[in-house]
Amino acid sequence: MANNDKEFPRRSAMESIMGQGCFLDGSLGSLIASTAPAHKDKESAEYEGKATDQILDPEMSLNRLGHTAADQIDWHLVKLPEKANLYLELYQRITNLTNADCKVYIGNEQFQCHLIVLQCYSEIFDQYVSVKKVELPSDKVSAQAFSFIYEWMITGEPAYTELSRDTVLDVFNAAKYLKIKDLTEQCWAFIDNTEVFSEGTAFMLYMNAKNKDLEDVRELMLPRIQSFFLMLVSSQDWLDLEKQDVVNFLSSNYIRVTCEMEIYMSAIRWLKYKWEEREEDVLDIMGCVRFGNISPWQLVDIKRNPENPEFLRLTSIPEICKMIDDGLAFVIIKYWYGQANEDYQRWNNMLGLQEPPARNWSGADKTYFTYREFLIYLDQYRRNQILETSKPKDRKQVTDLKTYLKQEVDKGAPRIPTMDEFLSTRKAVGDKGQKVIP
């Protein structure tokens, strides 16, 4: 190509075209003439008299011409990559304790927390502004309870499912102190649930509530201890109870027994365990026995049968003898006149006697002649209970038991009051200035 360029002299484009004979059949003029317009368009009158440079005057921007970025976008036709979800990002940072900005100290324990999380649930923390360090009293909020509470705050799952019978009162106390309304209500609902706390578990919570000075919880649990009563009496725990707890149980209308003699002998068992220490409590304890619910022959036997030295020790006390005699008088009047009789009321009023409330009778007919017989029965009873509890639970049996208990309630057994009923009546005062349990 370089050699060819040297052979041909440089010429204009037009000369090259003409020199190649491209237009042999016609002249260049005829070609140009054939491509020219037939005539020139006449200018509009508005442009007449305007110089060429003035035709687009004034100059206009594209914005004035209507081309702007403010045109509405049809987002159905436009798809862009999604941004990261803010809530998920926050959740990841919170659960991973990323840049935790608040340290909570409880005793020797330290917790890394996000203050905003604590403020969302706790009215106490909501009062703090930009604090970096908070110390909580360990007697109000235990380290274990706070660990549960903070996990409850940050978890996305129903955290209350981690509540347990052993820890619920610690969490409940801490939630009340920190003023965490939602968790406090969840703990109450957990405690109030009879599927969670009844019979033996109710007794355990009763004792735990006593140690934590939670009177409301104790009153709530007391009516739920029914069939478990005799199992309790057969245990060392019964012997170790304080006097007021024994009075609470023996005075309950809900404990399930076959006869009033079981109450009487349960009282003897507690007194006899530490007689020297508890002799001064004998009147308060025996005052819980409703002697008017005992048959006449047994009341006579209590005072005279030499085979019952445990009974005779008590009947040597004049005040207890009067309790037994009053019970005997009431039973004789009831059997002689019947309850729907004016003489029945007249004699009771004359002697200052009152009809004792009924117990939650089990329906079984049981008679004890001696205290020894009662202890033998307790031993056999707890053996049977141990065997029953060791068996695998059958769902159908549980359902049948619930049906049975409901039928018993329908027959006249006392209904277990709800938590709201307890809270509304807990301040009521009885004749002796004690709180009345509905």
Side-chain angles (χ1 to χ4, degrees), residues 194 198-200 202-203 220-233 249 252-258 262-263 360-362 381 405-406 408-409 413-417:
T194 55
S198 64
E199 301 295 357
F203 172 74
L220 187 63
M221 291 298 107
L222 189 59
R224 301 185 187 182
I225 302 169
Q226 301 183 13
S227 299
F228 182 73
F229 173 71
L230 288 181
M231 189 67 174
L232 171 61
V233 173
F249 287 118
S252 172
N253 292 335
Y254 300 93
I255 52 176
R256 196 167 181 80
V257 291
T258 62
E262 290 182 342
I263 304 297
N360 185 11
W361 308 118
S362 66
Y381 180 83
L405 292 177
K406 183 179 184 304
E408 291 299 312
V409 171
R415 181 180 63 84
I416 298 177

Side-chain angles (χ1 to χ4, degrees), residues 48-149:
E48 293 180 359
K50 280 189 176 182
T52 301
D53 294 340
Q54 295 176 339
I55 292 176
L56 294 179
D57 189 40
E59 297 289 349
M60 300 177 66
S61 66
L62 289 175
N63 187 39
R64 291 187 62 187
L65 292 173
H67 296 277
T68 68
D71 292 345
Q72 188 173 3
I73 299 173
D74 186 353
W75 289 108
H76 293 92
L77 304 177
V78 179
K79 299 297 181 182
L80 302 179
E82 294 289 343
K83 71 167 184 175
N85 186 288
L86 173 62
Y87 302 104
L88 292 179
E89 291 296 313
L90 289 174
Y91 181 75
Q92 291 295 329
R93 296 178 72 85
I94 289 172
T95 54
N96 293 325
L97 301 178
T98 305
N99 296 333
D101 58 348
C102 180
K103 293 182 180 180
V104 177
Y105 294 90
I106 303 175
N108 296 326
E109 299 289 335
Q110 173 184 312
F111 298 89
Q112 299 283 349
C113 306
H114 286 91
L115 181 60
I116 186 64
V117 173
L118 297 169
Q119 290 174 328
C120 286
Y121 291 100
S122 169
E123 294 181 20
I124 295 296
F125 279 97
D126 196 36
Q127 300 172 4
Y128 299 146
V129 179
S130 301
V131 295
K132 301 296 182 182
K133 174 183 176 181
V134 176
E135 294 185 12
L136 296 177
S138 58
D139 60 327
K140 300 293 184 181
V141 183
S142 67
Q144 182 182 9
F146 184 82
S147 177
F148 173 90
I149 288 174

